[in-house]
Amino acid sequence: MEYRKLGHSNLEVSAITFGAWAAGGWMWGSTDRNEAIDAIKASYDVGVTSIDTAPIYGQGVSEEIVGEAVKGYSRDKVQILTKFGMRWDLAKGNLAMHSKNNEGQDIDVYKYAGKESIIYECEQSLKRLGTDYIDLYQIHWPDSTTPIDETFEAVSKLIEQGKVRFAGVCNYDAAQMAEAEKTLKLVSNQIPFSMVNRGVEEETVPYCIENSKSILAYSPLERGLLTGKITSDYKFQDGDHRAGHPHFQPDFIEKTNKLLDQIKPIAEQHSASLGQLVLKWTIERPGITIALAGARNAEQAVQNAKAIEIKISKEELKTIDDLVNAF
């Protein structure tokens, strides 16, 4: 595995980081707790020391699973990345979405990052994770109802108390990052990035490069689309959010699979899967520090981690870049 520092910090994370959204089951149709724990442990065994989770993933379930999975490890050997600012148990801030929890009950999710709320959320996360500190604490989505300085003053307080080591953001644009920086030094921004979703390269990626902020690319496999295993007649489980997503409509799937067919020979040359090649391409992109990759079971987790082993040439990277640019 390869390890990379986040921003100006001394926090080193694995270039392939375990993304634990699907582990929580919420919006993914279901979860198997034991398989999710096994997946995290199998990842760790092949060098994936960093896990990214959030309270909203399964309304606490994902964090509990992460806590259980890392219980036996020396705490300084794993990096726990979690988030705050999405409340399903408090109707405050901006309504983000109407949803259903893992039991099928209706819930309303709010983007809210008020000071007291953050302090409360951190305590809950620490309990679920079974730890006394969080390595990277990230606001999950911008909250337009709370001044940015109030939010990051709360995070500063948590850093002073030793409950949080470093602060990051998710889904922030360059202007929001600059505003947050007036209160607290950020180390990273977690943003969506994939071969078929590159909007962040226009403004946010250049800002992060210029200001030495790390980028944690989420959905680099575009929620499984870039593995080549999704066909235009694919049937999703009940509760799987992908069924209604624009990238999972037959035309887009077909277009994507044509792109994947063109890069497949490069994957085959390296005895790699398409998913592995896509992950490797992602962490070779300018400004991208790590790729977050989710896995439902141990086998998928190990395959994701092994993407790091692909020795891809400059010529091959250029070939893939040209194909992606033409997409």
Side-chain angles (χ1 to χ4, degrees):
M1 184 50 64
E2 191 183 317
Y3 302 92
R4 298 176 172 184
K5 279 193 175 154
L6 289 190
H8 63 277
S9 76
N10 60 356
L11 178 61
E12 285 200 346
V13 294
S14 45
I16 305 290
T17 286
F18 190 97
W21 177 14
W26 176 68
M27 291 180 77
W28 286 90
S30 66
T31 189
D32 182 309
R33 205 180 180 99
N34 292 330
E35 283 208 336
I37 290 167
D38 288 347
I40 293 169
K41 288 184 168 179
S43 276
Y44 182 82
D45 290 344
V46 289
V48 175
T49 57
S50 316
I51 308 147
D52 179 80
T53 181
I56 192 63
Y57 301 159
Q59 295 71 60
V61 173
S62 176
E63 285 189 327
E64 286 169 4
I65 285 170
V66 171
E68 210 170 315
V70 304
K71 206 184 279 176
Y73 301 138
S74 173
R75 181 63 185 86
D76 62 347
K77 297 284 189 286
V78 288
Q79 301 83 46
I80 295 174
L81 288 45
T82 194
K83 309 181 187 83
F84 64 87
M86 288 198 93
R87 298 290 299 263
W88 65 93
D89 52 344
L90 178 73
K92 228 169 175 184
N94 286 322
L95 178 67
M97 67 179 93
H98 302 294
S99 185
K100 288 186 185 295
N101 64 15
N102 286 348
E103 282 71 52
Q105 297 156 333
D106 291 332
I107 55 169
D108 287 339
V109 181
Y110 289 83
K111 296 175 188 172
Y112 181 59
K115 191 173 183 179
E116 299 311 317
S117 181
I118 295 168
I119 304 297
Y120 170 81
E121 279 203 79
C122 185
E123 292 305 326
Q124 299 309 303
S125 288
L126 290 170
K127 276 181 204 161
R128 287 189 290 257
L129 291 161
T131 185
D132 52 7
Y133 70 91
I134 291 157
D135 292 285
L136 180 67
Y137 205 35
Q138 311 157 93
I139 183 167
H140 206 148
W141 283 93
D143 162 27
S144 64
T145 69
T146 304
I148 285 178
D149 61 348
E150 179 187 329
T151 294
F152 289 97
E153 275 164 19
V155 181
S156 293
K157 190 176 173 187
L158 292 168
I159 291 172
E160 280 166 30
Q161 293 170 344
K163 292 172 181 174
V164 167
R165 287 185 67 201
F166 297 101
V169 295
C170 305
N171 304 299
Y172 263 40
D173 61 24
Q176 289 162 329
M177 287 185 80
E179 186 61 34
E181 283 265 297
K182 292 176 186 173
T183 306
L184 177 63
K185 204 109 171 91
L186 302 172
V187 300
S188 60
N189 190 1
Q190 184 175 148
I191 45 181
F193 176 78
S194 77
M195 284 183 172
V196 296
N197 182 14
R198 294 166 54 211
V200 292
E201 286 189 328
E202 284 170 35
E203 187 189 285
T204 313
V205 173
Y207 174 88
C208 289
I209 292 171
E210 198 181 319
N211 293 279
S212 305
K213 307 299 171 200
S214 285
I215 292 174
L216 286 56
Y218 75 78
S219 298
L221 293 172
E222 202 53 47
R223 299 167 168 89
L225 180 65
L226 293 172
T227 61
K229 293 173 185 168
I230 308 277
T231 53
S232 48
D233 57 354
Y234 190 88
K235 296 282 179 281
F236 294 97
Q237 278 182 295
D238 282 351
D240 191 324
H241 73 286
R242 294 177 295 177
H245 194 283
H247 287 178
F248 288 88
Q249 303 318 304
D251 287 357
F252 198 88
I253 292 172
E254 218 166 288
K255 188 182 175 192
T256 302
N257 284 341
K258 277 181 187 161
L259 167 67
L260 294 174
D261 285 343
Q262 290 175 291
I263 65 171
K264 203 174 190 175
I266 298 174
E268 286 167 351
Q269 209 151 351
H270 292 276
S271 304
S273 68
L274 277 167
Q276 288 172 321
L277 182 65
V278 170
L279 287 174
K280 182 68 175 185
W281 174 86
T282 303
I283 57 169
E284 293 294 335
R285 290 297 284 175
I288 306 294
T289 310
I290 67 163
L292 293 163
R296 294 297 201 113
N297 54 50
E299 190 190 342
Q300 283 178 2
V302 170
Q303 290 308 310
N304 287 343
K306 286 192 170 172
I308 204 79
E309 294 168 12
I310 303 171
K311 299 281 183 273
I312 192 165
S313 70
K314 281 182 181 165
E315 291 73 28
E316 287 169 324
L317 272 175
K318 187 180 182 319
T319 300
I320 298 171
D321 287 346
D322 291 344
L323 291 166
V324 168
N325 289 337
F327 178 77

